[in-house]
Amino acid sequence: MSSSDAHVVVLGAGHAGGTLVALLRQYGFAGPITMVGDEPIAPYQRPPLSKAWLKGEADEDSLALKPLEFYAENQIDFRPNISAVSLKRADKVVELSDGSTLSYDFLVIATGMRANKLPLPGAELSGVLSLRSAADAEALKGHLKPGRHIAIIGGGYIGLEVAASARALGAEATVFEREARILSRSACEVLSTFFTDYHRARGVSFELGAHIDSLVGEGGKVTGVKMADGRTLPADVVLVGVGAKPNDEIAADAGLETARGVVVDLEARTSDPAIFAIGDCSHRPLPLYDRMFGPESVPSALEQAKQVAAAITGRPAPTPEVPWNWSDQYDLKLQIAGLPFDADRVLVRGDPASGKFAIFHLKGDQIQSVEAVNAPPEYMMGRQLIGNRKPVNLDRLADPTVSMKEVAA
Amino acid sequence: MAKVTYIENNGTEHVIDVKAGLTVMEGAVKNNVPGIDADCGGACACATCHVYVDAAWESKTGTKSAMEESMLDFAENVEPSSRLSCQIKVSDELDGLVVRMPESQH
């Protein structure tokens, strides 16, 4: 078998799978490609779902990675509304939910994650939603209007973005967070405090250290959030944003190594050389930090799609990228580069009260990560300094009158 | 509709009919033109849709926002004609636009 007649089967038609099949054709791969996805529509961008989509500034066409006809024109057999139910590695065959089977030479698992359910009474009420897919976003959209109250359970980035969109649409929003501060899992206290204050000033209420007893409803429809302290706060709709888990069962059941995601190497290859895993369902190496991680981000999915396309077409593996991510809330653009692993010091450059600042996480005089709010120079230069591991002078870094170019010089 | 010519760093040309209202970045990405990555999908957050706009078109492609200016200031291989293609909206006025791509977006 040469790679030109190999059959590539991609399980999952999300941002990762959709990017991979397009890259394979871009890189000149001429063999058959089949991509199955459990959603009714072709691969699309998820990040706008909590922002532009809710606000009516994006439609299905603008969200689509490629127009639907792209797949047929490029001999990509895209099958919507189908998922894989089992994997027989010895025969190189996957069984699909419609009862059919597919033989593969290369299999790519790109099955993403699913939202965690709220483990509380009332979670099954109508109006209790999560936000992973375009269908989820469409269900949420109709609720966000003046006079309506959305309860957002979980103070992570998706919840905060929805809170900002809700306020833009005139709805009332309350964020419930079990921990003492929002973003406790992903950001430092300075950033948590900044975002809490920014949202409060725009009318969002917060219940921090919240102990929720249950969701309550009438006629099967949610009407409120009952707290352990006896209060019941009104809610016309509840968004549950309490994390997600990788859809890695198909890999685990087939005996592939998993660890909160399918374990892969720097080519995104699993413990089976004919099988790759990319995107949110994978657990991947981060060479810069010398460890494994599940980044749950679009940029990581895109990087892994490039790794697989290169591996299948015999191109050299792409240079590892600095992990990054972003979040848009109101007029704030948060850009994050790197991860704060092993950091021993936090340095704030600029004044958070000005709405324009950056938080550097340092290990000695090396930058491990940067969280930049409306501060592209700090983000862009921070990302380069994280990648090239160049030591920086901390006094100069802390002084916003010294430009980032001078800091890096 | 506007005809936009995208020229890869290796000289390969792609002439694409781009619908008015889309950005120059979307015109490339939706047609699988190599060389424009656009990791963030047009949020002006990543600077991986960097292009060079041919001099004749600079005035018609509009001015850079402070955000775009700032991102470009720190991107690699930047020239005076550099733009982030997610920030250029295509209109009939841009029929014939030519953009070239840098060696790499990362």
Side-chain angles (χ1 to χ4, degrees), chain A residues 93-312:
Chain A
V93 165
V94 280
E95 292 177 350
L96 305 179
S97 54
D98 65 353
S100 66
T101 59
L102 280 172
S103 295
Y104 63 84
D105 296 299
F106 292 113
L107 181 72
V108 184
I109 301 172
T111 44
M113 301 183 108
R114 59 182 179 275
N116 289 332
K117 297 247 186 285
L118 195 65
L120 290 175
E124 72 296 340
L125 287 165
S126 141
V128 180
L129 309 173
S130 54
L131 180 50
R132 297 290 305 175
S133 67
D136 294 339
E138 192 53 28
L140 180 59
K141 192 177 181 174
H143 292 281
L144 302 180
K145 49 190 168 200
R148 304 299 285 270
H149 203 133
I150 179 170
I152 296 165
I153 300 184
Y157 285 115
I158 290 178
L160 294 177
E161 289 178 354
V162 170
S165 298
R167 292 304 296 145
L169 293 164
E172 302 298 321
T174 304
V175 175
F176 296 78
E177 170 57 54
R178 186 175 58 182
E179 305 294 329
R181 61 183 180 90
I182 57 168
L183 301 173
S184 60
R185 210 164 51 94
S186 53
C188 68
E189 196 156 359
V190 179
L191 198 62
S192 295
T193 304
F194 172 78
F195 274 114
T196 308
D197 293 346
Y198 209 85
H199 278 269
R200 272 197 178 126
R202 280 146 193 84
V204 176
S205 304
F206 285 87
E207 291 286 336
L208 302 176
H211 292 285
I212 298 174
D213 172 81
S214 55
L215 302 181
V216 294
E218 279 171 29
K221 205 197 146 304
V222 75
T223 55
V225 179
K226 187 176 177 208
M227 309 295 288
D229 61 16
R231 290 176 299 152
T232 297
L233 301 171
D236 301 298
V237 60
V238 173
L239 176 74
V240 178
V242 293
K245 62 168 75 67
N247 294 318
D248 60 1
E249 290 82 359
I250 191 155
D253 291 347
L256 294 172
E257 191 188 342
T258 59
R260 194 183 154 72
V262 189
V263 173
V264 296
D265 64 14
L266 266 183
E267 282 188 326
R269 215 183 280 264
T270 68
S271 48
D272 180 331
I275 303 179
F276 300 86
I278 60 175
D280 287 356
C281 72
S282 74
H283 191 72
R284 56 164 293 180
L286 289 181
L288 261 179
Y289 300 93
D290 196 23
R291 72 187 69 205
M292 300 290 289
F293 190 64
E296 297 181 38
S297 75
V298 167
S300 173
L302 301 182
E303 184 188 16
Q304 289 182 302
K306 283 182 231 164
Q307 291 170 355
V308 174
I312 289 178

Side-chain angles (χ1 to χ4, degrees), chain A residues 341-363:
Chain A
F341 291 128
D342 310 320
D344 49 39
R345 182 172 168 189
V346 172
L347 184 155
V348 181
R349 177 180 160 95
D351 180 7
S354 72
K356 193 174 161 169
F357 65 104
I359 303 166
F360 289 89
H361 297 260
L362 302 150
K363 178 184 170 190

